Amino acid sequence: MDERKRDIQGVGLSLLNRFAGSEVVDKLGLRKPAEKALYQASKASFGAASMARRRFKSVSQRLRPERMERAGDGGDLFDLTPSDEQAMMQEAARRFAEEVLRPAAHDAEAHAEPSKDVWSAAHELGLAMMAVPEALGGAGAERSAVTSGLVAEQLGWGDPGQACALLAPVGVAHALACWGDAAQQDRYLRAFAEDTPPDAALALLEPAAAFDAAHPGCRAERQGNNWIVTGEKALVPLGPFADLLIVGADCEGLGPRLLLVETRDERVLQTPEPGMGLRAASLGRVQLHGVVLGDDAVLGDADSYAQAIDLARLAWCSLAVGCAQAVLDLVGPYVTERQAFGEPIAYRQGVAFTVADMAIEVDAMRLMTWRALARHDAGLEFHREAVLAHRYCAEHAMQLGSDGVQMLGGHGFVTEYPVERWYRDLRALGIMEGGLLA
Amino acid sequence: MIRLEEPRKFRPLVNQAHQVAAEIFRPISRKYDRAEHAYPKELDMLAALLDGLNAGNSQAGAGVGGVSRSADGDAEGVRNGSNMNIVLAFTELCWGDVGLALSLPRQGLGNAAIVAVANEEQKQRFAGCWAGMAITEPGAGSDSAAIKTTATRDGDDYVINGEKIYITAGGRCDHVVVWASLDLKVGRPAIKSFVVPKGTPGMDLVRLDHKMGIRASDTATIRFSDCRVPAANLLGSPEIDTSKGFGGVMQTFDNTRPLVAAMAVGVSRAALERSRELLAEAGIETGYSTDRWRQTAAAAELTALEAEWEAARLLTLRAAWMADNGQPNSLQASMAKAKAGRIGTRITLRCAELCGALGYGEDELLEKWARDSKILDIFEGTQQIQLLIVARRVLGLTSSQLK
Ligand SMILES: Cc1cc2nc3c(=O)[nH]c(=O)nc-3n(C[C@H](O)[C@H](O)[C@H](O)COP(=O)(O)OP(=O)(O)OC[C@H]3O[C@@H](n4cnc5c(N)ncnc54)[C@H](O)[C@@H]3O)c2cc1C
């Protein structure tokens, strides 16, 4: 392709554009209120580094970390029936998605975060509690990535943006429960069982094209007994105000590791980074300017890092399965009602076959994701299955999102229906690394 | 409890099928691709082996006779039974060779039909037969309700007239299950199936077709001219029940479609595996890297294909699992067939392309697999027919609304 350089006309246009984007325009009240709210929200968060962040306190001197048993796989049979407990969680998450997330989705997107009511309803649902072992004040009895996935699927059906915000701290709790040592669990994991759990997220993605999560650009250099961490993390859920982050960094002499970073540190700069979709998730950019950490900040080992990538992807797959199902659930009735050329558009194969493909692919995505998650719970290798599920969901979830808009035509493109939002949300698949953890 | 692994209890059987595929099918695969219409005599020995397997396996057979809705009243708990068993076995066999798998004596699609709809007396009488399935006619394929072959009651017999084409194993089998209409004016409810023994007067083998792939499997045209069969050979009810529609004869498809899907899963796995080896020989590393964008294009493509393959495999296992657990699975069987049918061709064709001259030439089997796989997206209901079934179910439409 020809490279085109900016000419004099371009310079003029650029100036004009800068003027149009200036605050003057806002002052004149030319922008739509929602846009303005967003702008102001981001303005406020810019100064956030100086705002009070949560302090984490170590309470007791525990000797050993609390580990929950993996849920297992119930034996030898191929089976697609959730356990009774899983079915209950699924049902509860479904009702929450229907009654809380769906009605709030539009406003949460406009305000770039879930409302207080949604947060407290989610708390009642006990999402974070379930991730904390009983001995640390939580309600978690066993570790099941399948259960996490089933819940994420339902929340994704409700609204992927809010789901992402609500599930980000849960993912951090899972990571601490799986890989934290006694001191780390004591200091951080307990907090997730409290009335107001910390805002927290797993920060792996970086702002680079063709980013490879297995090779983070963020670096931790050894200095005496300390690690000096420098780098930048992108599209972190709750990023502008998270209290606690698990950051992926290449540790000198060790390789990639997960590092616990308290954002009270003034060398952590958190800013909003709104994207194409998932706007309710308060996505943010996090810069680490020489953050000093001790060895006690290192969470788990090389294997934990690799598993975190896979489990994060599987959480995204689950979210996408739910969202894709939502698209199908909306498109089906729409095409049987919508009339064109004297009959419902569903009577035409061009439409009906598209819907058939959507139905096939959403089921396939679900089965692929379930398989990987269930292998995790059974203590089997699940990297291959996670890679394949992720590859598959990235491809087909986006196609589904695109077909969803297509089946509604112009009505799909305007914000009257949520399909355009789902289209934008689903593009996150294949891009997001970290953020969540199943 | 959610678990999507193949049950360990089927491993001996799957392994046995794999040994057959690797040690018997593969070495003669090219030979019978070239010698179209020659009977693969190696299969006789195999048939004996399979019969032994069937007899020794209380789960029901390893063969197509095993496909049926779970009948025992085992209400407690989940079952992995004969449907899954046979899906797994056919995946392995077709990893070896689809054409040879379709030529296994006594494992015809007609056998599956007999198991699905025959009464006890008929099951006994036709036990151990090798039955082909004759639905398609020169003027009616996908639209199987439009068949013109008739069966007219005459005393204790039916008299069959018509021409059937594309009968798999039609030249080699000893019985044919024929779809014929008791009354052309009535349409679907009048269509019944009849078991016709070979050698019945008025039944003529007209020709064997030459094909692009699965050449080891014979595909026959049979003409029926005043062919007389006992009324007791009619499968299912002889009544023309207009309220029941097409149900009776169509039932078999719920069980055989996952089987055809399994065939596609098997042949495409062969292509994926061989491509991985040939790419390795060319110094191209393939694997399950988390990094999608910095791999070679060939490695990334292979992963994408394997993901499609895995999806088809799981959809197929789901359909079989549902059948084993007595759950209605028409929708899921068609989903599996649609997905596996199309990825079968996509994967085998792409693998041929990935392997370049090795993929196209006859030294390797890749080009053959790319020819063989195509039929799996056509018979037992084409891709489009599966999508029609899926769409009608999902959208709640009738066949007159969505044609
Ligand atoms: C090797 C081989 C083995 C076979 N074995 C058997 C066997 O054992 N027994 C048997 O009975 N038959 C057998 N068949 C026949 C096979 O099942 C039919 O070929 C198949 O059902 C398609 O029918 P057709 O060839 O008449 O195609 P057509 O029905 O003419 O279809 C042509 C094209 O139109 C599409 N089409 C048709 N109707 C629709 C629609 N409503 N909407 C959208 N698209 C549509 C089809 O998908 C296809 O792409 C075999 C065929 C082959 C080649």
Side-chain angles (χ1 to χ4, degrees):
Chain A
M1 277 178 279
D2 288 347
E3 195 184 327
R4 301 216 162 85
K5 296 222 170 70
R6 192 198 246 181
D7 62 8
I8 183 70
Q9 200 186 354
V11 173
L13 284 171
S14 153
L15 282 173
L16 198 70
N17 194 28
R18 247 191 291 171
F19 167 75
S22 81
E23 278 172 62
V24 181
V25 185
D26 290 289
K27 290 211 180 95
L28 294 172
L30 295 178
R31 286 184 203 278
K32 286 194 290 244
E35 225 174 291
K36 203 153 141 197
L38 241 185
Y39 179 79
Q40 272 158 4
S42 59
K43 258 296 207 221
S45 318
F46 254 106
S50 57
M51 270 169 57
R53 286 280 183 271
R54 187 186 191 112
R55 282 175 183 279
F56 292 93
K57 284 197 284 291
S58 304
V59 186
S60 66
Q61 295 289 319
R62 304 183 67 85
L63 294 176
R64 267 182 284 134
E66 293 293 330
R67 295 274 184 261
M68 290 186 279
E69 290 268 329
R70 288 200 193 178
D73 63 356
D76 187 40
L77 294 180
F78 180 101
D79 188 16
L80 299 172
T81 328
S83 70
D84 290 347
E85 203 190 355
Q86 287 167 341
M88 258 170 51
M89 285 297 291
Q90 209 175 15
E91 175 64 26
R94 174 61 168 215
R95 287 188 48 188
F96 174 77
E98 241 171 58
E99 291 161 19
V100 180
L101 293 186
R102 274 282 169 96
H106 182 268
D107 287 354
E109 158 148 81
H111 296 124
E113 60 184 335
S115 70
K116 283 209 169 58
D117 291 345
V118 169
W119 275 109
S120 55
H123 189 60
E124 271 170 41
L125 192 62
L127 291 178
M129 286 290 277
M130 301 291 290
V132 182
E134 282 166 355
L136 292 169
E142 61 176 19
R143 163 79 176 122
S144 169
V146 170
T147 309
S148 301
L150 292 174
V151 168
E153 189 179 321
Q154 294 306 329
L155 302 197
W157 181 89
D159 174 33
Q162 294 177 90
C164 175
L166 301 176
L167 290 173
V170 182
V172 169
H174 283 318
L176 286 161
C178 289
W179 306 310
D181 61 26
Q184 290 167 339
Q185 288 192 343
D186 186 54
R187 188 174 175 84
Y188 302 112
L189 188 48
R190 274 180 189 289
F192 288 87
E194 288 170 7
D195 280 344
T196 47
D199 294 320
L202 173 64
L204 298 185
L205 186 64
E206 297 181 2
F211 174 67
D212 174 13
H215 297 100
C218 180
R219 290 193 44 80
E221 268 150 38
R222 203 63 172 155
Q223 202 171 83
N225 286 330
N226 287 331
W227 297 102
I228 314 296
V229 189
T230 309
E232 199 167 358
K233 294 290 164 182
L235 302 177
V236 182
L238 316 180
F241 47 80
D243 308 301
L244 177 68
L245 295 171
I246 298 179
V247 170
D250 190 358
C251 290
E252 191 180 347
L254 287 182
R257 285 293 185 281
L258 302 172
L259 300 175
L260 288 155
V261 176
E262 295 179 30
T263 57
R264 274 187 309 128
D265 192 317
E266 62 189 9
R267 276 161 291 200
V268 179
L269 190 68
Q270 298 166 274
T271 52
E273 187 183 18
M276 173 181 176
L278 296 173
R279 297 178 78 90
S282 312
L283 299 176
R285 182 73 65 88
V286 178
Q287 292 172 327
L288 303 132
H289 295 284
V291 176
V292 182
L293 301 173
D295 278 334
D296 56 358
V298 181
L299 178 69
D301 53 19
D303 195 43
S304 321
Y305 185 87
Q307 278 204 22
I309 295 177
D310 287 339
L311 287 170
R313 287 176 166 191
L314 291 172
W316 284 106
C317 290
S318 303
L319 219 58
V321 170
C323 184
Q325 184 71 54
V327 174
L328 178 62
D329 291 350
L330 185 144
V331 164
Y334 185 90
V335 297
T336 47
E337 274 159 34
R338 176 74 182 170
Q339 303 269 329
F341 304 98
E343 60 182 11
I345 55 174
Y347 290 11
R348 308 287 168 137
Q349 291 189 351
V351 169
F353 285 9
T354 305
V355 176
D357 276 336
M358 293 166 81
I360 293 169
E361 297 305 352
V362 75
D363 278 8
M365 283 164 52
R366 182 179 291 116
L367 292 170
M368 303 263 302
T369 305
W370 280 12
R371 178 167 190 224
L373 291 167
R375 285 183 67 90
H376 166 277
D377 288 358
L380 301 170
E381 252 314 313
F382 66 101
H383 174 65
R384 169 185 173 271
E385 288 71 22
V387 166
L388 294 183
H390 181 248
R391 187 77 201 76
Y392 197 81
C393 291
E395 184 71 27
H396 291 283
M398 191 64 256
Q399 186 61 48
L400 243 139
S402 178
D403 288 342
V405 173
Q406 195 69 29
M407 291 300 101
L408 268 69
H411 300 271
F413 197 74
V414 299
T415 57
E416 182 191 351
Y417 289 96
V419 277
E420 65 81 24
R421 188 172 66 238
W422 293 334
Y423 171 99
R424 292 182 286 113
D425 291 344
L426 285 169
R427 182 58 290 169
L429 254 280
I431 293 169
M432 286 299 185
E433 301 283 5
L436 309 172
L437 193 128
Chain B
M1 192 130 177
I2 292 175
R3 181 178 188 276
L4 290 84
E5 306 304 313
E6 296 172 6
R8 282 180 289 271
K9 68 170 177 177
F10 291 151
R11 267 189 209 160
L13 175 107
V14 169
N15 181 52
Q16 212 154 9
H18 185 76
Q19 298 309 318
V20 167
E23 305 304 328
I24 300 180
F25 284 7
R26 282 284 180 95
I28 60 171
S29 198
R30 182 60 78 185
K31 175 176 156 192
Y32 289 104
D33 181 48
R34 294 201 176 116
E36 194 173 19
H37 299 167
Y39 177 68
K41 53 190 181 313
E42 292 86 347
L43 294 180
D44 286 338
M45 148 185 97
L46 250 184
L49 196 105
L50 266 178
D51 290 344
L53 261 179
N54 281 352
N57 190 335
S58 59
Q59 290 282 344
V64 293
V67 293
S68 63
R69 190 132 337 265
S70 163
D72 33 356
D74 182 7
E76 282 294 300
V78 177
R79 281 174 47 89
N80 286 177
S82 53
N83 284 279
M84 180 160 301
N85 196 350
I86 189 194
V87 152
L88 293 174
F90 262 80
T91 304
E92 291 307 319
L93 293 173
C94 291
W95 172 89
D97 189 296
V98 177
L100 291 169
L102 284 167
S103 302
L104 282 176
R106 297 186 280 290
Q107 308 297 328
L109 290 169
N111 291 88
I114 291 171
V115 168
V117 284
N119 61 32
E120 277 314 311
E121 182 274 325
Q122 291 167 330
K123 275 184 191 160
Q124 297 226 329
R125 192 148 50 92
F126 299 122
C129 79
W130 181 0
M133 189 80 197
I135 304 170
T136 309
E137 299 177 2
S142 300
D143 185 7
S144 45
I147 55 168
K148 292 282 176 281
T149 297
T150 53
T152 313
R153 184 76 190 230
D154 184 25
D156 287 341
D157 299 328
Y158 282 99
V159 178
I160 300 179
N161 279 291
E163 181 176 302
K164 295 290 181 182
I165 60 171
Y166 301 157
I167 305 164
T168 295
R172 296 169 188 165
C173 62
D174 44 49
H175 288 68
V176 178
V177 176
V178 183
W179 280 25
S181 172
L182 298 184
D183 184 350
L184 287 175
K185 290 190 298 294
V186 177
R188 290 190 169 89
I191 295 175
K192 302 289 170 187
S193 50
F194 301 84
V195 185
V196 185
K198 279 280 193 62
T200 306
M203 175 191 203
D204 296 305
L205 182 66
V206 178
R207 65 162 190 276
L208 299 177
D209 278 301
H210 294 279
K211 305 189 297 294
M212 169 167 83
I214 57 162
R215 289 182 184 151
S217 160
D218 65 312
T219 307
T221 298
I222 295 179
R223 190 175 302 125
F224 298 89
S225 324
D226 291 331
C227 178
R228 192 171 276 273
V229 296
N233 285 18
L234 184 153
L235 298 175
S237 159
E239 304 304 324
I240 299 175
D241 182 350
T242 40
S243 69
K244 276 213 171 143
F246 223 14
V249 280
M250 293 300 270
Q251 230 172 5
T252 34
F253 287 129
D254 297 351
N255 297 327
T256 54
R257 280 175 179 154
L259 203 56
V260 177
M263 295 177 184
V265 170
V267 66
S268 43
R269 191 182 92 211
L272 286 172
E273 283 179 9
R274 188 61 188 141
S275 301
R276 196 179 289 285
E277 288 167 5
L278 292 175
L279 287 171
E281 283 173 25
I284 293 173
E285 198 186 317
T286 58
Y288 305 101
S289 167
T290 48
D291 174 12
R292 286 173 56 199
W293 308 123
R294 289 163 203 255
Q295 297 175 296
T296 60
E301 181 67 15
L302 205 66
T303 306
L305 294 177
E306 188 171 341
E308 296 290 327
W309 173 81
E310 175 87 351
R313 194 180 70 87
L314 293 175
L315 287 168
T316 304
L317 288 175
R318 175 179 69 168
W321 173 80
M322 292 178 78
D324 278 338
N325 287 283
Q327 301 178 18
N329 72 342
S330 301
L331 170 65
Q332 290 78 8
S334 283
M335 283 181 162
K337 170 79 166 72
K339 181 72 190 180
R342 68 187 182 219
I343 63 97
T345 41
R346 179 163 151 210
I347 290 175
T348 53
L349 284 169
R350 184 68 95 196
C351 284
E353 188 183 7
L354 272 173
C355 295
L358 298 178
Y360 202 70
E362 288 192 356
D363 287 348
E364 291 285 337
L365 290 167
L366 284 157
E367 64 82 25
K368 176 179 180 299
W369 295 330
R371 289 184 283 116
D372 289 349
S373 62
K374 189 62 190 161
I375 189 59
L376 304 174
D377 207 18
I378 296 173
F379 67 17
E380 292 290 291
T382 62
Q383 174 71 214
Q384 289 74 20
I385 295 305
Q386 307 306 329
L387 291 182
L388 275 177
I389 294 169
V390 172
R392 282 180 195 143
R393 294 251 165 185
V394 170
L395 296 170
L397 300 178
T398 64
S399 52
S400 57
Q401 291 168 325
L402 178 58
K403 298 200 216 42

